[in-house]
Amino acid sequence: GGAIDRQAFDYLATEVLDRIAPGLRDFLLRTSVLQDLDAVRCAALTGDERAGVWLDDTERLGLFASVVDTAPYTLRLHDLFRDALQHRLRLEQPAAWRELQARAAELETDALRRQAMLLGAQRHAEAAADLLRIGWELMFQGGVQTLLRRVEQFPPAFVRDSAELQEVTGVAKWHVWDAHDAER
């Protein structure tokens, strides 16, 4: 698996990305921060009024995307292709990567994806406040370990100094201990 995935990733990152028309390539790079691509969200993220045309081109050219909805017309890039696009964006345009992550977080309705985007944008204070806001709900949905893993994704010095992350961590660890004690 790993060697094949690495070969496929390298192929996508060089052979495919370098052969895409520059306008479409730029659009795909910038929108790769989104999980699902529809014209309205892509235009809101990028300011590109041609978002619908670029999405049609992506499907027409068979660029490693699947239609996940028709109303509105929505594509999802295959994971490895999206990873290759994100890798290239981070390397070529690190400031744009962070800005696009922050803008995508404003458009995102899924709490955990929004968290990942805020972390990618290095907006740690916003991400910590957001994590505190959704922490209880996540714990009661059985996501205690997910919550603890998310805290681990913050820089250690930030975790140490963040009241929000200290509260999230304390409550999550208490919840784990309490569940374990009840089980005994």
Side-chain angles (χ1 to χ4, degrees):
I4 293 171
D5 287 349
R6 184 67 200 170
Q7 289 174 344
F9 180 86
D10 290 342
Y11 171 78
L12 290 170
T14 55
E15 298 298 320
V16 174
L17 290 181
D18 292 341
R19 294 181 184 193
I20 297 174
L24 179 56
R25 178 181 179 269
D26 184 57
F27 173 80
L28 289 171
L29 285 171
R30 292 182 297 140
T31 57
S32 69
V33 300
L34 297 171
Q35 177 74 22
D36 294 326
L37 309 177
D38 65 70
V40 172
R41 285 171 42 99
C42 291
L45 176 69
T46 65
D48 189 338
E49 295 176 8
R50 297 193 62 211
V53 173
W54 295 129
L55 292 173
D56 289 341
D57 288 350
T58 299
E59 184 185 14
R60 182 179 51 78
L61 295 170
L63 291 177
F64 308 98
S66 301
V67 176
V68 292
D69 204 345
T70 55
Y73 173 68
T74 305
L75 295 180
R76 182 173 296 154
L77 300 175
H78 293 238
D79 290 341
L80 204 53
F81 186 52
R82 196 167 97 240
D83 290 347
L85 288 163
Q86 289 179 354
H87 177 74
R88 181 69 64 91
L89 181 61
R90 281 191 305 267
L91 284 178
E92 293 178 358
Q93 305 171 47
W97 164 257
R98 288 187 300 277
E99 179 58 31
L100 288 165
Q101 288 279 318
R103 286 176 30 214
E106 294 172 9
L107 301 169
E108 185 55 60
T109 57
D110 181 89
L112 289 175
R113 275 192 290 230
R114 183 177 55 248
Q115 278 291 302
M117 292 169 175
L118 288 170
L119 284 169
Q122 298 179 0
R123 299 217 174 152
H124 300 125
E126 290 175 55
D130 199 47
L131 193 58
L132 179 59
R133 185 182 61 73
I134 66 167
W136 283 102
E137 181 181 345
L138 189 58
M139 281 191 298
F140 291 120
Q141 292 174 348
V144 176
Q145 294 305 321
T146 300
L147 190 60
L148 290 170
R149 279 192 305 275
R150 185 52 55 97
V151 171
E152 292 172 358
Q153 294 173 350
F154 286 83
F158 184 85
V159 173
R160 184 187 67 238
D161 296 337
S162 169
E164 291 87 357
L165 293 182
Q166 289 300 311
E167 183 176 341
V168 166
T169 302
V171 171
K173 287 185 176 181
W174 171 82
H175 190 76
V176 172
W177 176 80
D178 190 44
H180 178 69
D181 191 43
E183 192 173 62
R184 281 192 304 182

